[in-house]
Amino acid sequence: MHKHDLVYLTEDASHDAAIEHINEEAFGPGRHTRAAARIREQGPHDLSLSFICADDGETIASVRMTPVQAGSVNGHLLGPLAVRPSHKGRGIGRELVRIAIDAARRKGSEAVILVGDPPYYCPLGFERVAHNALSFPGPVDPSRVLVVPLVEDAHSRLKGTIAWRK
């Protein structure tokens, strides 16, 4: 049996090509048209809060965090999160999400927001944002807008536009 040596690392520029390949494999060419992608196009993601998983030196999964202003909340948009098909079902994505949320909390983020699948993300601590509370730069299914509030009043302040912030 092959021993897998999974290592979780902070993303750096050397991971860009592998991450692009993983995201293309996971989400296809339409990934750039999604509302969350439009926010990510507004400015760079935060490398200090973005992570990869490597197996024997090969990048096989990643998660990125983009700084956002969501209503009056200074938070981070989680995603894309993607794992190579060869490594799915092993908890790698869940571990990347946990690492990213913990790092955002330590950095003082007020919330981690995403547009995603509630059955996957809610067991990881995400909660639904109030229906249509946030306005995205494109259509989103409001039932898929989720948040991990990292400060007491985050939910009440998630009202208005969500956009990239410096």
Side-chain angles (χ1 to χ4, degrees), residues 17-131:
I19 291 169
E20 181 61 24
H21 175 73
I22 292 166
N23 287 328
E24 182 178 10
E25 190 175 47
F27 303 112
R31 69 191 180 282
H32 299 294
T33 63
R34 296 177 179 183
R38 290 181 184 171
I39 293 169
R40 292 183 197 108
E41 291 169 350
Q42 296 170 7
H45 61 284
D46 185 336
L47 279 174
S48 72
L49 299 181
S50 299
F51 300 91
I52 64 103
C53 179
D55 184 1
D56 289 331
E58 176 192 359
T59 301
I60 52 90
S62 80
V63 66
R64 287 182 165 168
M65 296 276 271
T66 301
V68 293
Q69 180 79 36
S72 65
V73 172
N74 289 322
H76 286 85
L77 183 67
L78 186 143
L81 168 69
V83 179
R84 298 284 320 267
S86 58
H87 288 74
K88 285 186 180 282
R90 296 174 45 191
I92 294 166
R94 289 185 298 277
E95 182 64 8
L96 283 169
V97 169
R98 186 196 65 74
I99 291 168
I101 292 170
D102 286 348
R105 181 180 285 116
R106 286 191 304 275
K107 194 166 181 176
S109 183
E110 295 181 315
V112 175
I113 302 155
L114 63 77
V115 179
D117 188 21
Y120 181 84
Y121 287 103
C122 288
L124 303 178
F126 284 85
E127 305 166 0
R128 290 182 196 264
V129 171
H131 192 76

